[in-house]
Amino acid sequence: MRQVHICEVGPRDGLQNAHHLMPTEAKKRWIRALAEAGLEEIEVGSFVPPKLIPAMADTAEIVQHALTIPGIRVVALAPNVKGFQRAVEAGAHKVTFPVSASRKHSESNVRMTPEQMIGQVKACVELRDASGKPTLIEGAVSTAFGCTMQGEVPEDDVVKFATMLAEAGCDCVALADTVGYANPAQIRRVFRRVRAAIGAKLEAAHLHNTRGLGLANALAAYEEGVRHFDSSMGGLGGCPFAPGASGNVITEDLVFMFESMGVPTGIDLDKLMEARKLMVAAIPDEPVYGHMALAGVPKGFRAAA
Ligand code: COA
Ligand code: ZN
């Protein structure tokens, strides 16, 4: 049984910030290999204006392909009602909305205030409910641990926006360290506060490794009861509208950490490393990271039962 659930966000968070475009057919092969490695949830792209992020222009085709792979939940990001409608039309199982707790990042990323963005999410919940479709809706509080433009982000704002998202009808809420400012003590404190405010609706930790604390923060979140994590193969990632943002916590290393602790992820490390080879071959000039890829699986390593 899986004890932690990992959502691979490389095809979205990773490729949106990559210097090189991954061809559509290579994305499909990579996503299939990720599923074969045991990833049960994959964020495959975003429904944003193609002119804004050309790497995401093929998301509808990618969603449709991913839907043919059995056993995975297909996730897409949307920044507004139009993006949500495109995601539902393509058939995404779950749609995630970035709601910045930093007003400056919100303005830069979606050209809306956090409150306007929550209004978009609420409108999407109402559309979903009226349609009777089962599409899951996630509100992700981004820049929840600090912002490269605004600096400090008050914890009260994070609690407030997470609560507004829960009240707007989101099925789940995530906290995102978009620019990699978080430390483990802060992760514990903020997750605990938001959990006290919205209970089980608080689900995922979306962490970036910008200052090397990705795994330490993931462990802190785990010890605070978090069981859903976003991560990115090869540590690709970053928000193009947040200066200084860089890659997510590295999927291969996160899987190794949990499995070696005896916490099952449902992911096969060897197959994961095969999927990494496909990813690297598809964007060979893109810098990629990861200690597992450098050092290999330890002698005698046994996956968690
Ligand atoms: N998908 C495709 N096209 C979209 C769209 C969407 N989700 N949302 C808006 N558009 C189109 C509009 O139809 C309009 O087209 P037109 O010029 O042909 O009439 C154009 O884009 C501008 O629409 P507008 O509503 O004024 O958007 P904007 O320019 O104020 O941008 C967002 C707002 C939210 C669409 C944009 O800032 C965005 O996509 N941000 C997300 C960025 C991102 O992906 N960040 C990383 C992930 S967190
Ligand atoms: Zn991110």
Side-chain angles (χ1 to χ4, degrees):
M1 282 301 293
R2 293 171 202 268
Q3 278 173 23
V4 296
H5 303 265
I6 295 179
C7 174
E8 168 64 43
V9 298
R12 196 279 298 170
D13 205 323
L15 296 182
Q16 77 182 8
N17 207 37
H19 300 100
H20 304 91
L21 284 179
M22 187 182 286
T24 303
E25 292 310 312
K27 280 192 195 180
K28 292 179 186 173
R29 282 195 295 275
W30 179 29
I31 289 167
R32 197 166 278 277
L34 287 165
E36 277 164 12
L39 264 310
E40 61 178 359
E41 189 164 324
I42 305 176
E43 196 168 310
V44 300
S46 62
F47 288 98
V48 300
K51 264 191 230 152
L52 201 63
I53 306 191
M56 297 291 114
D58 58 3
T59 297
E61 186 178 339
I62 296 296
V63 166
Q64 278 152 13
H65 176 78
L67 291 172
T68 67
I69 304 170
I72 59 165
R73 179 181 278 168
V74 179
V75 187
L77 178 140
N80 56 12
V81 172
K82 179 158 184 179
F84 179 72
Q85 286 167 328
R86 291 177 62 207
V88 171
E89 200 180 310
H93 297 133
K94 176 175 169 186
V95 180
T96 184
F97 291 86
V99 177
S100 300
S102 149
R103 290 187 184 278
K104 283 203 174 141
H105 180 249
S106 190
E107 187 59 41
S108 157
N109 194 37
V110 291
R111 307 175 67 171
M112 285 179 260
T113 65
E115 289 83 359
Q116 285 170 325
M117 189 61 197
I118 293 167
Q120 294 284 305
V121 178
K122 192 160 193 282
C124 294
V125 169
E126 284 162 6
L127 280 174
R128 188 271 313 267
D129 292 349
S131 73
K133 288 220 167 88
T135 320
L136 291 168
I137 294 181
E138 177 183 76
V141 183
S142 33
T143 57
F145 302 91
C147 169
T148 47
M149 287 172 277
Q150 177 174 305
E152 196 186 328
V153 172
E155 290 176 11
D156 287 351
D157 287 356
V158 178
V159 176
K160 180 177 79 182
F161 294 133
T163 305
M164 287 169 76
L165 284 166
E167 286 170 359
C170 286
D171 300 292
C172 49
V173 172
L175 299 184
D177 183 20
T178 310
V179 294
Y181 270 16
N183 65 68
Q186 184 187 16
I187 290 276
R188 283 212 172 83
R189 199 168 59 238
V190 177
F191 270 91
R192 189 172 298 181
R193 282 194 63 186
V194 174
R195 173 99 54 213
I198 66 168
K201 275 206 177 186
L202 176 59
E203 219 172 53
H206 176 104
L207 303 168
H208 281 256
N209 199 35
T210 315
R211 287 167 183 79
L213 292 185
L215 284 184
N217 289 336
L219 184 60
Y222 176 77
E223 287 175 353
E224 210 44 63
V226 175
R227 294 294 178 268
H228 290 77
F229 294 86
D230 288 353
S231 63
S232 178
M233 179 162 272
L236 297 178
C239 175
F241 304 98
S246 69
N248 292 77
V249 59
I250 299 153
T251 305
E252 305 86 296
D253 296 0
L254 186 68
V255 169
F256 173 68
M257 181 182 81
F258 283 127
E259 291 287 337
S260 59
M261 285 167 63
V263 176
T265 62
I267 295 165
D268 181 306
L269 257 181
D270 292 329
K271 289 186 182 160
L272 197 63
M273 300 317 280
E274 291 303 312
R276 179 182 164 113
K277 283 184 199 152
L278 278 185
M279 185 267 290
V280 169
I283 39 171
D285 298 322
E286 192 66 29
V288 287
Y289 308 93
H291 290 283
M292 286 311 292
L294 281 177
V297 174
K299 199 166 183 174
F301 167 77
R302 263 181 280 131

